[in-house]
Amino acid sequence: MVTGPDIDIDATHDLYVGGEWSPAADGGRFETENPATGEPIAEVASATAADVDRAVAAARDAFPAWRDTAPDERGRIVHRIGRLVREHADELAAIESLDQGKPVSQARSDVEGAARYFEYYAGAADKLEGRSVPVGPEQVDFTLREPYGVSAQITPWNFPGNLFARGVAPALVAGNTAVVKPAEQTPLSSLRLAELCAEAGVPDGVVNVVTGFGDPAGAALSGHAGVDTITFTGSVRTGTEIMRQAAGNVTPVTLELGGKNPAIVFPDADLDAAADWIAKGIFTNAGQVCSAADRVLVHESVREDLLDRLVERAESYELGPGRADPDMGPLASEAQFEKVRNYVDLGREEGATLAAGGGTPDREGYFVEPTVFTDVEHDMRIAREEIFGPVLSVISVADEAEALQVANDVEYGLVAGVFTSDVTRAHRLAGRLAAGNVYVNKWFGDTNQTPFGGYKQSGIGREKGLEALDSYLQTKNVAVNLADGDGADLPGA
Ligand code: NAI
Ligand code: MG
């Protein structure tokens, strides 16, 4: 059954720079494809370093006027983007589902989240207050929170439209301008969102979109001397590379780099509910979620009971093209499909037992079955490395101490979940888990309003919530002399 709306997608797409559409400097284009079929959808301009220069220049030119726009007016414009996102929700969801592969109802939820980012941050635009600092009668001292200037947004292919909003909304309300480089696998929703920004009244040059590859477009942007702050979501390897490129200009970075997230299940948990949350946590968006429930650390006394429930859920999933709104769509690209298949082979070689899935259905497109491995040992690669696919590892643990040790003994630290009816244990673990976000008796507990980000190699800085604004504002302290004369003593600061 096809339930998604019909949409017309132009056969070719240009770059959006300075409020105008223009091809890449060398006329280059690449195809974005529908991962449910492997068929091309459209050709998109492939930005060169010269195009990135042009986009950064447009953003720099637009910055002073945008910075000086009254905060309430900036807020109104950003709020209008949110309204337009809502008005075009079906269309945006259809574009995302087609280009990325996810079920259209999940794409709708991403679009709802995108609208919420614009609405939420719009209200903050006129509340970005500094502080006054009481240093004594001879000096008036206060802080200002000022925008950085040009914000580079390098986004991945798992939640392209939603992450456009997650970065662009706070960047704009804080008075920055933006250059967005969406992932080459999924450029279409960002291009449509740029149009909606213009329709909402965002001035030319304030939001620019350069579609293209990590090399050259992403690298040119992250090493650009005209970029004042960088927000990146993606792999640790690319995040490290971006940090290195940014270091040349001492450009600050906000990095959100994925995880290997543990879901710890104790015997006193509601096992049906835990299995529901964990299945949702690992199979949503075919597991291509930084905060996926990758590892179950289950007390050995309930391992079989939980495993039965997880297998039952995994085997109930219907797969299909996103537009038909199945339980699970394909992986977003052939490369990701190959990566996930290799991890399934690796799990078998490492001696884990396949309890569900593991296969690839005999059909076109990049589909992998919901997969559950049991008898997973903590030192296996499938238990330590981010797979970014619908592959769950079940590890048994003897007690709370071992659960905590195994949970924390990976290089990542994005999110962690605890399933228990013991409130004391839940709080004890929440305090000790090395993760930026802890969920108790649920998964995906984040909202637009709650700070989100990683410990350890899962990243630097926080997105979402009011804390995200710290990535887009720098503090200036102003000291005004009230004393007579030139002040005899040095302050000794
Ligand atoms: P990636 O991190 O290389 O790609 C993300 C973005 O970075 C894309 O826009 C890409 O064009 C850009 N990029 C690539 N190289 C760059 C460079 N040198 N300078 C600047 N920008 C650059 O991720 P990739 O290779 O597509 O996926 C590999 C793995 O990364 C996945 O299997 C998954 O484990 C992880 N990943 C994590 C995400 C998360 O949400 N934390 C999102 C996407 C991928
Ligand atoms: Mg695509």
Side-chain angles (χ1 to χ4, degrees), residues 32-33 99 185:
T32 184
E33 63 177 23
D99 203 10
Q185 296 84 353

Side-chain angles (χ1 to χ4, degrees), residues 152 154 218-232 238-255 460:
I154 301 176
L221 191 58
S222 48
H224 205 291
V227 165
D228 301 294
T229 182
I230 298 172
T231 299
F232 169 75
T238 299
T240 309
E241 186 53 36
I242 285 175
M243 233 179 136
R244 204 174 277 127
Q245 288 156 345
N249 300 305
V250 199
T251 306
V253 292
T254 300
L255 306 175
I460 298 177

Side-chain angles (χ1 to χ4, degrees), residues 155-158 181 183-184 214 218 232 234-235 238 258 336 339 386 388:
T155 59
W157 41 261
N158 53 343
K181 207 298 283 171
E184 55 271 29
F232 169 75
S235 64
T238 299
Q336 196 58 24
K339 177 179 167 183
E386 184 177 52
F388 228 59

